[in-house]
Amino acid sequence: MSDFLKGFREREYQQSKEYLHETQCPFCSMQCKMNLYEDRSKQKSRYKVTPLKSDPVSEGRLCPKGIFSYKHALSSGRLRTPMLKVDDSFVPVSWEKAYHWLSQKIISVQEQYGKNAMSVYGSGALTNEKAYLLGKFSRVALETKYIDYNGRFCMSSAAGASNQALGVDRGLTNPLSEIEDAECIVLAGTNVAECQPTMMPYFRRAKANGGKIIVIDPRETLTSKIADLHLKVKPGMDAALVNGMLKVIVDEDYVNHSFMQVSVEGGAELLAFARTIDLNEVERITGVAKSQIIEAARIYGRATTGMVFTARGVEQHAGGVNNVRNFINLVLLTGKIGKQGCGYGTITGQGNGQGGREHGQKTDQLAGYRSIDNAEHRNHIAKVWGIDEASIPGKGVSAYEMFEKILEREIRGMIVLGSNPVVSNPNTNLVKSAMGKLDFLVVIDTLMSETAELADLILPGSTHLEEEGTMTNLEGRVILRKATRKLPGEARLDWQILCEISELLGKGQFFSYQSSEEIFEELRRASQGGIADYAGITYGRIEEEKGVYWPCPSESHPGTPRMFEGGNFYHENGKARVTPIANQFPKEKTDEAFPLTLTTGRILHHYQTGVQTRITAELNKTSEPFLEIHPVTASKIGLVDKEKARICSRRGEMILRVKFSKGIREDCVFVPFHWEGKQSINQLTLPELDPQSRMPEFKACAVRVTTLEAEKEVLGTAELVKHV
Ligand SMILES: Nc1nc2c(c(=O)[nH]1)N[C@H]1C(S)=C(S)[C@@H](COP(=O)(O)OP(=O)(O)OC[C@H]3O[C@@H](n4cnc5c(=O)[nH]c(N)nc54)[C@H](O)[C@@H]3O)O[C@H]1N2
Ligand SMILES: Nc1nc2c(c(=O)[nH]1)N[C@H]1C(S)=C(S)[C@@H](COP(=O)(O)OP(=O)(O)OC[C@H]3O[C@@H](n4cnc5c(=O)[nH]c(N)nc54)[C@H](O)[C@@H]3O)O[C@H]1N2
Ligand code: SF4
Ligand SMILES: [Mo]
């Protein structure tokens, strides 16, 4: 039975005057639940959204994106039929024709250039079932090593750091409900108020309980409004800032020595290193006053409970893993983890940012956080898949590096599911020229994205309203998304499309599922015994218990809301690891030609590359990007508020409307990344990758801002071509 038929009765729907679709927001990692009420009494249905009060995560709240999230799914812009590009324009074709074309292409490319000539680009927006299936599809149906996904740009640095320090990577180590128990909360590089708005009340409750909030961000944001202390760090300088805090923690002895002794390795080295830190130097390189660093360290150090949260501001750097590691050093040194109101968390981003990174979309990974390099891990998965271990390919390269492989002509064909890489990658000029070099590009999407526009074949897939499946929220809680709407036009469920393509390639026997739940049942077995163990989680349990936290190794296991109880970590010896972290610096230095640091990020009403929010009038109130700049800096350049300016990096330039803000550092500018084409800030960003996580440096590059009249400097143009 298909997902659709399971949740929905055609006749019942057709005869009803009203219909209630139980659903949840497709956007951020909070995954707020809601009811979509459909009034069918008139010829054209009318819709109303109500939050679900009984949802323990959102507690009955929705942010504006959630309230209007059904609009793009019901919009006239939905892709309804497969489309093949003929003479530069798209022609609607039948599925049969689309599949025939596609299978011929895949077979011929792989015959000529080998299996690895095909590549797959996935997404943290996908359900666990789809993420798992996409990993299997690449390795079993396409037999290629080239698969990676947009989550590479998301939490990969935090994942790397957590794995190194704690032996496991799960978004938050504690449930949201414990935030109110924290006496001190550090929010580093996270703008919760705009990015996970329904999470804010958890922090407000902590504050009402007397808790202190420290925000670390180069800008004032809606989130920093709740801060008791705001450290306006220079972009890219978090590791150094934490070193300053560690110095105070050690000198004034807020160290939890017994915890360090029993549960942590590397303590002596870290303590010795911290003592050598020069606070004056830290002040100079981070731009944060020494007195503020001392105050922050005292508040956190003296608190009996505390939580540290990081997000992309800290993580999206070429030194992202080290940045996060230092925040975890801080947590471990003070022993504030594994107890009520004590923990660390990377605030995951996409709807399934957490689950999407556990089950095999990452090129070096198999389901359950298994390693593709580990023989035992490969064997386990091979058994579940019913194939020979040797036939599972090894690891390929990270998301951005796949485009370099296209330019090297090693990758010839690409299938994209649930992402818009020509807008979201750094240095998009290179990415676009790579796309142009492909023999063929296939995009499975629900809307016409900028990447879909470049495709040779577009396949119409499914949204959250139509496709059932599980999502793992920021807490590591696996929840079930129901879906009761019929697909529009000829669109199909994403997972069915993957199974059908596999069938065409002669691999149908490995992809004979009848529902998402069947895929989940296989995922349970595949993840069993792995770090992200879902073996004990069933659709039934999720419904009954309103979500189950992994790891959950058996059906009798209650799940794990709080990790590391009693100081038990996931490394073999049960200990966590601290290590000295050298100060990190942005890879591209500012200089006379490019004197300002550009950092990028998000605003409340738009989501990611904007494909899903720019088409909804209620969410498109900010209809163009802007350049946030301090008025003092602006006046030196001669810029006027709300007028246009030119911004230029070594990789590209664009024109943006200026927005004055006294809340941003004077040496720094901020631009949101939700727009495409000439409005895309990723034309300028730096594709410098973290050596460990392969995360690009989205949050810091050197730029010059000028008035439109100012002449282009010679250096700018000459250097422009360097990275293209
Ligand atoms: N409205 C909205 N919500 C979203 C999304 C969206 O697109 N729109 N996307 C979702 C996804 S996928 C993600 S990953 C999350 C992202 O959520 P966040 O990481 O919270 O969002 P960002 O705006 O990218 O960055 C957060 C903050 O980091 C600051 N920052 C920049 N550079 C630095 C630095 O060097 N150090 C420090 N400490 N801070 C810095 C920025 O000023 C910004 O305020 O949001 C999710 N929610
Ligand atoms: N400069 C800069 N760049 C950034 C960032 C930044 O902070 N600054 N952040 C990075 C981060 S954290 C992220 S996560 C990426 C996001 O980057 P992308 O993944 O490229 O952005 P989205 O807009 O989420 O693209 C999702 C696409 O998939 C489609 N889609 C969504 N869900 C589904 C589904 O279930 N099925 C199908 N078939 N299609 C679906 C949508 O319609 C849309 O076209 O951007 C990264 N890029
Ligand atoms: S965008 Fe995030 S916070 Fe807002 S309704 Fe959706 S899931 Fe909830
Ligand atoms: Mo993200």
Side-chain angles (χ1 to χ4, degrees):
M1 207 189 318
S2 75
D3 294 10
F4 166 66
L5 287 175
K6 253 179 67 198
F8 176 86
R9 300 271 170 275
E10 177 83 34
R11 190 182 298 151
E12 188 188 317
Y13 175 76
Q14 290 303 347
Q15 288 173 351
S16 62
K17 287 262 177 288
E18 45 187 44
Y19 202 90
L20 202 64
H21 304 275
E22 280 178 66
T23 182
Q24 65 200 45
C25 177
F27 296 134
C28 87
S29 51
M30 286 293 284
Q31 286 297 291
C32 306
K33 290 202 175 268
M34 67 182 93
N35 284 322
L36 177 65
Y37 168 77
E38 182 177 350
D39 176 357
R40 309 191 71 247
S41 59
K42 306 259 160 48
Q43 206 182 1
K44 199 166 173 251
S45 283
R46 291 208 300 204
Y47 297 89
K48 205 178 137 206
V49 162
T50 45
L52 203 71
K53 291 244 157 37
S54 59
D55 174 14
V57 183
S58 68
E59 301 177 319
R61 294 180 287 272
L62 286 175
C63 83
K65 282 190 304 304
I67 293 170
F68 297 110
S69 60
Y70 69 94
K71 290 225 158 176
H72 73 269
L74 301 183
S75 78
S76 57
R78 275 298 292 275
L79 299 169
R80 282 156 209 273
T81 140
M83 287 193 288
L84 197 57
K85 199 174 265 167
V86 182
D87 296 334
D88 275 345
S89 45
F90 285 111
V91 181
V93 293
S94 66
W95 279 97
E96 208 182 354
K97 184 157 181 199
Y99 280 155
H100 180 73
W101 181 93
L102 177 57
S103 56
Q104 295 301 309
K105 281 282 181 194
I106 296 175
I107 291 165
S108 105
V109 151
Q110 290 194 319
E111 265 174 15
Q112 275 186 71
Y113 307 108
K115 296 288 186 194
N116 290 326
M118 279 305 299
S119 63
V120 172
Y121 196 106
S123 165
L126 307 178
T127 60
N128 289 314
E129 291 77 354
K130 265 192 291 193
Y132 166 73
L133 195 66
L134 196 65
K136 181 176 177 183
F137 170 79
S138 307
R139 278 85 179 215
V140 177
L142 295 175
E143 299 170 82
T144 180
K145 65 177 177 180
Y146 287 125
I147 171 170
D148 212 56
Y149 80 122
N150 67 8
R152 186 66 75 167
F153 303 154
C154 210
M155 287 88 38
S156 62
S157 292
S162 294
N163 280 324
Q164 291 171 10
L166 311 170
V168 61
D169 150 47
R170 194 188 81 179
L172 312 187
T173 60
N174 306 53
L176 289 171
S177 57
E178 288 189 19
I179 291 176
E180 65 183 44
D181 303 316
E183 282 175 26
C184 174
I185 291 168
V186 178
L187 297 174
T190 167
N191 185 4
V192 179
E194 300 203 55
C195 295
Q196 293 82 11
T198 60
M199 188 182 182
M200 279 306 273
Y202 289 101
F203 296 114
R204 290 210 189 88
R205 284 210 287 270
K207 215 171 145 75
N209 289 343
K212 291 272 182 285
I213 296 186
I214 301 167
V215 165
I216 307 177
D217 196 306
R219 311 183 297 136
E220 281 169 23
T221 62
L222 279 179
T223 309
S224 70
K225 284 190 195 310
I226 64 162
D228 295 282
L229 181 63
H230 180 180
L231 311 181
K232 276 194 198 169
V233 68
K234 278 190 191 172
M237 297 310 301
D238 291 85
L241 180 68
V242 177
N243 277 335
M245 289 176 70
L246 291 176
K247 161 85 175 163
V248 181
I249 300 262
V250 171
D251 280 358
E252 300 188 7
D253 204 15
Y254 307 122
V255 176
N256 186 332
H257 293 284
S258 59
F259 175 81
M260 287 293 292
Q261 200 84 47
V262 177
S263 303
V264 182
E265 274 179 354
E269 292 85 344
L270 183 60
L271 289 178
F273 171 75
R275 287 193 188 97
T276 68
I277 303 289
D278 173 358
L279 279 181
N280 294 320
E281 167 77 356
V282 174
E283 172 178 279
R284 190 180 65 74
I285 59 179
T286 61
V288 180
K290 194 168 128 180
S291 59
Q292 287 199 319
I293 298 170
I294 295 172
E295 194 187 345
R298 285 182 181 157
I299 298 174
Y300 181 72
R302 287 173 182 165
T304 50
T305 53
M307 285 182 168
V308 173
F309 296 93
T310 64
R312 308 311 83 77
V314 166
E315 300 160 15
Q316 287 173 332
H317 291 281
V321 173
N322 285 334
N323 288 344
V324 176
R325 265 225 78 182
N326 225 12
F327 278 101
I328 302 179
N329 277 341
L330 185 70
V331 171
L332 290 169
L333 205 57
T334 55
K336 288 195 188 43
I337 192 161
K339 294 181 287 196
Q340 174 98 10
C342 291
Y344 161 73
T346 171
I347 300 181
T348 64
Q350 298 176 86
N352 199 24
Q354 182 60 44
R357 72 181 195 254
E358 297 162 1
H359 300 298
Q361 290 187 87
K362 225 172 135 232
T363 197
D364 54 354
Q365 179 211 67
L366 295 166
Y369 260 136
R370 287 190 158 84
S371 162
I372 206 157
D373 291 329
N374 179 311
E376 215 180 293
H377 291 191
R378 293 168 61 88
N379 261 318
H380 174 87
I381 297 294
K383 263 198 215 125
V384 174
W385 288 351
I387 62 168
D388 184 11
E389 180 268 323
S391 71
I392 301 179
K395 71 171 173 220
V397 295
S398 74
Y400 178 77
E401 291 167 295
M402 284 210 276
F403 298 103
E404 296 178 333
K405 291 284 173 207
I406 297 172
L407 289 174
E408 291 162 18
R409 310 295 282 156
E410 208 171 312
I411 292 176
R412 300 276 177 156
M414 179 176 265
I415 301 177
V416 177
L417 173 59
S419 185
N420 188 14
V422 299
V423 183
S424 55
N425 269 259
N427 191 23
T428 45
N429 292 327
L430 176 138
V431 175
K432 273 189 208 147
S433 59
M435 287 297 201
K437 292 258 167 8
L438 280 172
D439 288 16
F440 71 99
L441 170 67
V442 181
V443 172
I444 310 172
D445 207 309
T446 58
L447 297 166
M448 195 65 176
S449 72
E450 292 70 31
T451 304
E453 272 164 22
L454 301 178
D456 299 285
L457 176 67
I458 301 177
L459 298 175
S462 44
T463 68
H464 63 293
L465 294 182
E466 301 122 21
E467 190 175 32
E468 176 181 80
T470 60
M471 308 283 276
T472 305
N473 80 353
L474 73 175
E475 304 169 282
R477 186 199 298 245
V478 184
I479 54 177
L480 180 62
R481 180 181 84 197
K482 296 191 181 170
T484 47
R485 262 196 74 87
K486 196 176 173 173
L487 284 151
E490 304 284 306
R492 293 190 180 173
L493 297 174
D494 291 336
W495 68 258
Q496 280 177 337
I497 299 174
L498 294 179
C499 293
E500 285 162 2
I501 301 174
S502 305
E503 172 93 49
L504 295 169
L505 298 173
K507 296 291 168 71
Q509 85 232 53
F510 303 105
F511 295 85
S512 59
Y513 312 98
Q514 298 300 308
S515 65
S516 279
E517 189 169 5
E518 271 190 34
I519 305 171
F520 189 77
E521 287 300 308
E522 186 178 302
L523 184 161
R524 289 176 61 196
R525 284 186 286 124
S527 73
Q528 187 159 31
I531 289 179
D533 194 332
Y534 283 38
I537 307 178
T538 63
Y539 274 24
R541 264 192 83 176
I542 298 176
E543 281 224 70
E544 217 162 277
E545 297 169 35
K546 298 198 169 125
V548 182
Y549 294 83
W550 71 260
C552 180
S554 71
E555 283 189 51
S556 57
H557 189 284
T560 314
R562 188 193 301 138
M563 319 252 322
F564 319 128
E565 296 242 31
N568 285 315
F569 295 91
Y570 280 61
H571 289 304
E572 235 161 63
N573 63 2
K575 292 190 178 196
R577 293 177 189 156
V578 291
T579 192
I581 295 294
N583 297 336
Q584 307 289 304
F585 297 88
K587 285 289 171 288
E588 195 175 47
K589 302 249 175 322
T590 51
D591 55 22
E592 238 173 86
F594 298 97
L596 294 169
T597 301
L598 163 72
T599 193
T600 63
R602 295 157 168 82
I603 58 170
L604 175 64
H605 288 89
H606 277 298
Y607 191 69
Q608 314 276 58
T609 67
V611 177
Q612 298 166 100
T613 48
R614 279 185 268 121
I615 59 168
T616 299
E618 291 85 347
L619 296 176
N620 199 32
K621 287 189 182 120
T622 309
S623 58
E624 59 170 12
F626 54 84
L627 175 79
E628 189 177 304
I629 188 168
H630 197 284
V632 168
T633 315
S635 75
K636 283 184 199 153
I637 303 170
L639 301 177
V640 180
D641 194 16
K642 301 193 180 66
E643 305 234 318
K644 291 194 169 170
R646 191 186 308 276
I647 178 170
C648 169
S649 80
R650 290 190 171 83
R651 291 150 298 281
E653 63 171 356
M654 64 194 289
I655 292 170
L656 286 168
R657 201 171 292 285
V658 169
K659 186 175 175 183
F660 280 12
S661 163
K662 285 190 184 143
I664 190 167
R665 291 182 57 88
E666 289 181 23
D667 54 6
C668 167
V669 294
F670 170 84
V671 180
F673 83 107
H674 309 295
W675 289 267
E676 85 296 12
K678 289 204 164 88
Q679 294 190 316
S680 166
I681 193 61
N682 276 330
Q683 299 172 94
L684 275 63
T685 47
L686 182 70
E688 193 74 46
L689 307 182
D690 183 294
Q692 304 174 77
S693 66
R694 315 309 283 160
M695 165 72 88
E697 185 133 283
F698 285 120
K699 290 288 194 266
C701 76
V703 293
R704 172 173 61 245
V705 177
T706 54
T707 58
L708 292 191
E709 297 76 43
E711 257 183 275
K712 234 191 227 173
E713 283 167 49
V714 187
L715 177 65
T717 357
E719 291 273 297
L720 267 176
V721 279
K722 217 169 108 182
H723 282 267
V724 177

